[in-house]
Amino acid sequence: MDDELKRLHQQLVALHHQLRQDTFTQYHRINPFYEDLFDWKERGEFLFGPGKNITVYNTCSVVGDVQVGANTWIGPYTALDGTGGIKIGSFCSVSSGVNILTHDTVKWALTGGKAAYDFAPVEIGDCCFIGTGAVIMKGVTVGHHCVIGAGAIVTKDIPDFSIVFGVPAKITGQVVVDNDTVAYQYF
């Protein structure tokens, strides 16, 4: 390595150490280096427009036609496949590792490439929480004020104020919102 590369490497290491310390001091967490390099809200502005207060982690993959409402948080290691169109409402929280899919290649694979890919849009209402590792399949609509449990695989439409868990996801309760309080009623 020549002297210039060594100098750049040393500066990069110093930057990494400083950003890691800043993040740890402010949030008591350690991120992958590239998550500390760039502002997640700036990424939200780039993708979805200014003034909406949308957070999108750098490890989130965004493809195709994806629309996101104001004050929504999209966590690390998520995948938003908007090839069939995705609409996510305002005040949503999309947890780490969530996959929202709007196409599949099942028929294409089974026919040796003769059949086309299948596409269908996904819509998620306002004020929804999507738990870690959940998968929302193509063609699904999730209503407003819903909780999708961690690891759930959502294959059918979910009505407003529903709580769903499982594989495949089933409605297990309902959300009750009264002004600024929330209660969960399980069946």
Side-chain angles (χ1 to χ4, degrees), residues 42 51 79 105 107 123 167 173:
E42 184 278 330
T105 60
K107 293 176 185 173
E123 188 166 343
V167 178

Side-chain angles (χ1 to χ4, degrees), residues 56-164:
V56 181
Y57 274 63
N58 292 297
T59 52
C60 173
S61 176
V62 180
V63 178
D65 179 19
V66 178
Q67 299 171 37
V68 177
N71 302 302
T72 288
W73 183 88
I74 300 170
Y77 309 108
T78 54
L80 305 179
D81 160 32
T83 55
I86 294 175
K87 290 182 182 176
I88 299 173
S90 297
F91 291 97
C92 290
S93 182
V94 180
S95 298
S96 177
V98 167
N99 284 272
I100 301 174
L101 309 172
T102 63
H103 87 281
D104 71 51
T105 60
V106 175
K107 293 176 185 173
W108 175 87
L110 294 173
T111 63
K114 294 174 187 152
Y117 293 6
D118 282 331
F119 296 88
V122 168
E123 188 166 343
I124 298 169
D126 295 333
C127 305
C128 290
F129 175 85
I130 315 295
T132 301
V135 178
I136 299 175
M137 303 300 289
K138 72 178 184 352
V140 168
T141 297
V142 175
H144 302 292
H145 302 275
C146 289
V147 173
I148 309 298
I153 298 182
V154 183
T155 60
K156 296 178 185 173
D157 291 353
I158 306 299
D160 294 349
F161 296 97
S162 295
I163 300 170
V164 301

Side-chain angles (χ1 to χ4, degrees), residues 165-184:
F165 287 98
V167 178
K170 293 187 180 356
I171 298 173
T172 59
Q174 69 180 25
V175 175
V176 178
V177 178
D178 184 14
N179 292 322
D180 61 349
T181 63
V182 175
Y184 309 107

Side-chain angles (χ1 to χ4, degrees), residues 29-69:
R29 76 169 129 194
I30 295 177
N31 291 325
F33 179 41
Y34 50 85
E35 291 289 4
D36 287 334
L37 280 174
F38 304 104
D39 183 321
W40 308 326
K41 291 198 185 284
E42 184 278 330
R43 190 163 193 242
E45 283 189 8
F46 174 79
L47 290 167
F48 306 113
K52 293 184 175 181
N53 191 38
I54 299 170
T55 298
V56 181
Y57 274 63
N58 292 297
T59 52
C60 173
S61 176
V62 180
V63 178
D65 179 19
V66 178
Q67 299 171 37
V68 177

